[in-house]
Amino acid sequence: CGTGRGTRWVRRPRLVIATVPEAARRRGEEFRRAGWEVWELPARDGHLSLRPLLARAAREGFLRVLAEAGPRLAGALLAADLADEISLYLAPAVLGGRAVWPGDARPRRGRERRFEYLGQRRLGGDLWVRLRRCGRVAALVGRKGRGPA
């Protein structure tokens, strides 16, 4: 994309791993040698603190963050009110594990988080359902090829 005559911005993919300082001391150099950026961030209750992570991502120029999350991280993002959009992938298979839905995401009565349905798409035998937080504008919504129609 152009920014004026003769100036051009180039987007480069970045591999980032965010972790707490203790874990960065143990394995950070291994990830750096493999080409990853290692972000050392504070811990909260023994886990990476999510608000400083998203604040750092914003300072670094990230407009969107994809969290490929299991139920624990998904629940923490929802409980902290940090998710603007949800992509649910439904597969006709039971994979196991004790938690299959973000248990931490259950709000107190009267404080429900509402999402609007954006669409769905079949991906082979799976179903992708896309939801967006009501009252918030998410970047790239509706852009061709970027989500369910």
Side-chain angles (χ1 to χ4, degrees), residues 127-148:
L127 181 65
W128 175 25
V129 179
R130 191 166 163 215
L131 309 167
R132 180 179 54 205
R133 181 72 187 269
C134 292
R136 295 189 183 179
V137 177
L140 301 176
V141 169
R143 199 165 144 196
K144 259 189 175 176
R146 295 284 185 175

Side-chain angles (χ1 to χ4, degrees), residues 68-141:
E68 291 191 23
R72 186 177 295 160
L73 177 56
L77 289 165
L78 289 167
D81 201 22
L82 296 174
D84 291 327
E85 193 170 305
I86 297 173
S87 286
L88 292 174
Y89 292 88
L90 306 172
V94 177
L95 300 176
R98 294 196 302 159
V100 293
W101 186 255
D104 292 342
R106 293 186 195 110
R108 291 189 307 256
R109 183 173 239 138
R111 302 198 47 134
E112 295 86 7
R113 293 169 192 88
R114 297 276 179 198
F115 287 80
E116 64 180 311
Y117 173 79
L118 296 178
Q120 65 188 33
R121 181 184 300 166
R122 289 190 66 92
L123 300 172
D126 299 344
L127 181 65
W128 175 25
V129 179
R130 191 166 163 215
L131 309 167
R132 180 179 54 205
R133 181 72 187 269
C134 292
R136 295 189 183 179
V137 177
L140 301 176
V141 169

Side-chain angles (χ1 to χ4, degrees), residues 10-39:
V10 178
R11 290 183 66 180
R12 292 189 173 92
R14 294 170 67 182
L15 297 172
V16 176
I17 186 165
T19 188
V20 296
E22 180 183 318
R25 282 191 296 276
R26 283 194 320 266
R27 297 194 56 205
E29 194 52 41
E30 175 185 344
F31 282 101
R32 286 184 188 94
R33 280 193 306 271
W36 289 71
E37 292 179 49
V38 178
W39 294 356

